[in-house]
Amino acid sequence: MTARLRRKDLVGLLYVLPWLVGFLVFKLYPFIMSFVYSFCDYSMLKPPKFVGLYNFIYMLTKDELFPKALVNTLKYVIITVPLKISFALFVAIILNMKLKGINLFRTVYYLPSIFGGSVAISILWRFLFMKEGIVNKFLGLFGIEGINWLGDPRIAMFSVSLLAVWQFGSSMVLFLARLKEIPSELYEAALVDGASRLKMFTKITLPMISPIMFFNLVMQTINAFQEFTGPYIITGGGPVNSTYLLSMLIYDNAFKYFRMGYAAALSWVQFVIILIFTAFIFRSSTYWTYYEYDEGRF
Amino acid sequence: MYSQSKKAKNTISLFITYAFLILFGLFMIYPLLWVVSAAFKSNDEIFKSLSLIPQKIVTDSFIKGWQGTGQYTFGRFFANNFILVVPVVFFTIISSTLVAYGFARFNFPLKRLFFVILISTLMLPDSVNLIPRYILFNAFGWVDSYKPFIIPSMFASTPFFVFMMIQFMRGLPREIEEAAIIDGCNSFQILLRVTGPLCKTAMISMGIFQFIWTWNDFLGPLIYINSVEKYTIALGLRMCVDSAAAIAWNQIMAMTVIAMLPCIIIFFAAQKYFVEGIATSGIKG
């Protein structure tokens, strides 16, 4: 009996083996090495040289781009994540109604999201928001004078962020799937009790979707912190570095200047910031997420 | 009387809802339609009007744009994208299904720990591994080839997909598999003949997501591919924008449309798999 069990265990392990090998070689090893490199001076031409905390000291005291990139990245996250999730929820609630042709609308709202952070869509954004672009043309219809969306350092970040907001489709679909699962009896009971729409939303809808809200918040935050393609193609980090993000600083140091050690140190800072933010969301979620069954908990 | 006013109120709120849906929908879809129409407009016209219908339809932007800028045409970049994407999709489906099967249907030592690791890698930002992975692949001699994309895909390297498959398999009834055991099938035969076929939907949606993500990937090729000969569409597009930008906008728009086309086709051909994939796994986007 035990021998048979063990054989079955072995078979299971065999199926999982590709993942395990992949995890060790492509995830765990690089993860450890990234930590090691962050304390090294490494240009790939010579073997890595241990420099202690030098990379981190340089980052905080000498690299003028680092604080800039850090603030920009935080700005990017703070603009995109809440806007994207609010849009996603708002539209999902409307799309959850039983209306004719609702599937067509779902398609339309999801469509922009399939392109993700692609070059094609970033090029489109660049053209839309150019000084002589279509967005200004549209504003002109209402007699509003064109804004230099991508050329003005004060608003370039906002224009670039809108691309991510526009792609709220995946979060929306998740909300939608959850909304459909809320038993209608809950609303019916509330209606009998004479609850207002707002009350139903805050007392029924919000608690019921809170696990999805949590998931969306975590995933979108992690993604936003790492954003690269959009800003890189649309503005290249400009004007005057106003859209220059941490991911670009990492990319430039690693693959333009081949300062692998410094880039690794930067990526660890990025990682720790993401960790702090996710930990905060996890911690706070115990106060605002509601689970029907405990197994649903992360 | 009461019901009549209620009916009227309903009609009004229905009207407002539709008006909002249509107006907001137009905002969402207009940029996409604009690229398509811009590809058929003459250069002078592109920024002149908001209209989506070209005054004079130009088609040579596709032909000229296809020529690219240097010695390689977009035909080359397009082919390269397929050479890169097809194996990645194929191996992702195979490896993720195998691994998910192991997690969903077997018990083995450390299984819980492995599962926790799998879930935490779901949330591990890619960028922290970017640099050492490049150094590693460079040491393997994989740089300037598609190996950095294809080989990891053989090892179920996208935790999203494994997780999604596990969730899907857990939802399948075990009775059929138990019947197959009684019939004398071994676990692999069960996967091949029973569980696998039942997972077809999940496998297709996994394939679609992987196709679209890999097709649109920019940072990966930017880092690993150096020679123009091996450029993907994303790199080719960027090269065109950087070099010829100001002159031939309609050509760039035409190539942008071409770059998006496979994703659009797949999206409309396989909508139900899309929604299913997102809903079962909570995949990002």
Side-chain angles (χ1 to χ4, degrees):
Chain A
M1 188 67 185
T2 42
R4 254 195 72 179
L5 253 179
R6 239 177 253 142
R7 208 182 138 229
K8 198 176 181 251
D9 284 358
L10 218 66
V11 173
L13 208 56
L14 210 62
Y15 283 108
V16 177
L17 199 61
W19 168 79
L20 194 60
V21 172
F23 167 72
L24 293 174
V25 179
F26 303 124
K27 297 242 159 78
L28 188 64
Y29 172 78
F31 187 71
I32 295 165
M33 286 318 282
S34 150
F35 188 71
V36 172
Y37 289 139
S38 67
F39 299 100
C40 292
D41 179 19
Y42 188 25
S43 63
M44 289 181 64
L45 297 170
K46 283 178 278 177
K49 198 178 105 208
F50 182 77
V51 291
L53 288 172
Y54 177 78
N55 286 330
F56 295 94
I57 295 166
Y58 178 86
M59 189 186 304
L60 293 170
T61 55
K62 293 212 181 84
D63 190 347
E64 282 165 15
L65 275 174
F66 172 72
K68 185 109 201 168
L70 186 65
V71 172
N72 287 341
T73 305
L74 288 173
K75 255 195 222 166
Y76 182 84
V77 173
I78 288 166
I79 299 172
T80 56
V81 177
L83 271 180
K84 195 174 182 171
I85 291 181
S86 336
F87 268 116
L89 178 58
F90 181 61
V91 174
I93 286 170
I94 292 178
L95 291 182
N96 191 36
M97 293 186 213
K98 287 187 184 69
L99 296 169
K100 273 202 189 100
I102 204 77
N103 280 329
L104 178 73
F105 288 111
R106 283 183 192 152
T107 307
V108 164
Y109 291 126
Y110 185 73
L111 201 54
S113 304
I114 65 169
F115 306 106
S118 73
V119 172
I121 222 79
S122 310
I123 290 173
L124 165 65
W125 219 248
R126 185 156 137 185
F127 279 95
L128 289 178
F129 284 88
M130 272 163 64
K131 191 96 206 297
E132 59 273 28
I134 291 304
V135 174
N136 278 344
K137 188 91 203 157
F138 178 76
L139 291 176
L141 291 181
F142 304 96
I144 301 166
E145 208 190 316
I147 300 164
N148 199 355
W149 294 99
L150 301 172
D152 187 334
R154 285 166 304 173
I155 43 177
M157 181 59 90
F158 178 72
S159 324
V160 168
S161 306
L162 280 183
L163 174 57
V165 177
W166 181 55
Q167 298 178 317
F168 61 74
S170 301
S171 308
M172 177 193 82
V173 173
L174 281 173
F175 278 134
L176 201 53
R178 180 70 191 146
L179 285 171
K180 279 186 179 173
E181 283 171 11
I182 303 178
S184 56
E185 295 90 58
L186 288 179
Y187 292 108
E188 280 153 21
L191 212 58
V192 171
D193 291 343
S196 68
R197 280 204 167 188
L198 183 72
K199 199 120 201 184
M200 284 198 253
F201 178 73
T202 53
K203 297 287 178 195
I204 301 172
T205 313
L206 276 185
M208 293 301 275
I209 59 161
S210 58
I212 297 294
M213 179 71 94
F214 169 71
F215 183 86
N216 277 337
L217 212 53
V218 170
M219 286 338 256
Q220 296 299 344
T221 306
I222 294 174
N223 288 340
F225 265 111
Q226 300 185 86
E227 179 61 48
F228 177 79
T229 307
Y232 185 78
I233 298 287
I234 301 170
T235 56
V240 276
N241 294 324
S242 60
T243 56
Y244 194 79
L245 302 175
L246 268 179
S247 59
M248 295 185 203
L249 189 64
I250 294 170
Y251 173 80
D252 283 346
N253 274 295
F255 304 105
K256 254 193 195 155
Y257 317 129
F258 287 96
R259 296 160 67 182
M260 293 295 181
Y262 184 53
L266 285 167
S267 74
W268 262 86
V269 170
Q270 186 193 40
F271 172 58
V272 169
I273 294 170
I274 293 175
L275 212 62
I276 292 169
F277 269 72
T278 355
F280 176 76
I281 299 170
F282 263 86
R283 265 288 167 88
S284 75
S285 75
T286 49
Y287 301 102
W288 55 265
T289 52
Y290 165 81
Y291 292 93
E292 277 168 285
Y293 318 101
D294 252 342
E295 306 97 273
R297 217 171 262 270
F298 256 101
Chain B
M1 195 64 192
Y2 169 76
S3 74
Q4 226 170 12
S5 76
K6 200 180 170 191
K7 217 174 181 179
K9 212 177 140 193
N10 273 343
T11 319
I12 292 168
S13 76
L14 198 68
F15 178 77
I16 294 171
T17 310
Y18 269 111
F20 171 81
L21 279 177
I22 291 168
L23 212 67
F24 196 65
L26 284 176
F27 263 104
M28 291 293 289
I29 201 94
Y30 180 84
L32 294 175
L33 296 176
W34 184 78
V35 210
V36 179
S37 89
F40 290 100
K41 284 175 179 171
S42 70
N43 253 327
D44 310 322
E45 204 199 325
I46 285 186
F47 295 111
K48 280 213 181 99
S49 81
L50 289 166
S51 165
L52 292 175
I53 301 151
Q55 283 169 341
K56 200 181 105 216
I57 292 176
V58 177
T59 47
D60 70 344
S61 48
F62 282 92
I63 298 158
K64 282 186 186 157
W66 191 258
Q67 301 304 320
T69 49
Q71 61 220 102
Y72 298 105
T73 67
F74 264 86
R76 179 86 207 195
F77 303 147
F78 215 71
N80 284 346
N81 244 42
F82 277 108
I83 296 168
L84 165 66
V85 173
V86 171
V88 168
V89 170
F90 177 77
F91 289 126
T92 301
I93 294 177
I94 305 265
S95 63
S96 307
T97 308
L98 282 173
V99 172
Y101 185 57
F103 272 116
R105 288 293 188 256
F106 295 88
N107 277 313
F108 45 86
L110 301 178
K111 180 176 149 175
R112 260 203 84 80
L113 175 74
F114 288 166
F115 189 69
V116 169
I117 293 174
L118 180 82
I119 297 298
S120 24
T121 53
L122 202 68
M123 278 177 280
L124 181 77
D126 281 333
S127 58
V128 72
N129 289 342
L130 191 75
I131 286 133
R133 214 184 282 157
Y134 177 84
I135 294 168
L136 187 71
F137 291 171
N138 188 49
F140 289 166
W142 291 358
V143 170
D144 206 26
S145 79
Y146 303 138
K147 284 179 192 151
F149 307 92
I150 296 169
I151 294 176
S153 74
M154 296 172 181
F155 295 89
S157 58
T158 314
F160 278 115
F161 295 139
V162 182
F163 179 60
M164 171 178 150
M165 276 319 273
I166 293 174
Q167 293 296 83
F168 192 88
M169 282 184 189
R170 277 178 178 167
L172 295 175
R174 278 183 190 237
E175 287 80 12
I176 317 173
E177 290 173 33
E178 278 155 13
I181 295 173
I182 294 166
D183 288 347
C185 284
N186 66 32
S187 68
F188 189 70
Q189 287 168 322
I190 293 171
L191 176 63
L192 214 60
R193 304 223 177 103
V194 183
T195 318
L198 286 173
C199 292
K200 222 171 72 190
T201 339
M203 281 156 97
I204 293 172
S205 57
M206 173 161 60
I208 290 166
F209 275 104
Q210 185 67 300
F211 181 93
I212 289 180
W213 290 350
T214 319
W215 183 270
N216 287 326
D217 185 22
F218 172 63
L219 185 59
L222 181 69
I223 289 169
Y224 290 112
I225 307 299
N226 308 321
S227 41
V228 183
E229 187 198 344
K230 290 172 189 156
Y231 266 21
T232 59
I233 291 248
L235 296 178
L237 261 182
R238 198 211 31 167
M239 189 171 70
C240 282
V241 177
D242 282 357
S243 56
I247 314 148
W249 283 315
N250 58 0
Q251 291 176 25
I252 289 167
M253 287 303 136
M255 288 311 104
T256 305
V257 172
I258 295 275
M260 300 196 308
L261 211 55
C263 299
I264 297 178
I265 292 170
I266 285 195
F267 177 70
F268 281 105
Q271 267 196 66
K272 71 169 193 157
Y273 298 108
F274 246 98
V275 175
E276 207 147 323
I278 302 170
T280 46
S281 63
I283 272 172
K284 63 158 181 170

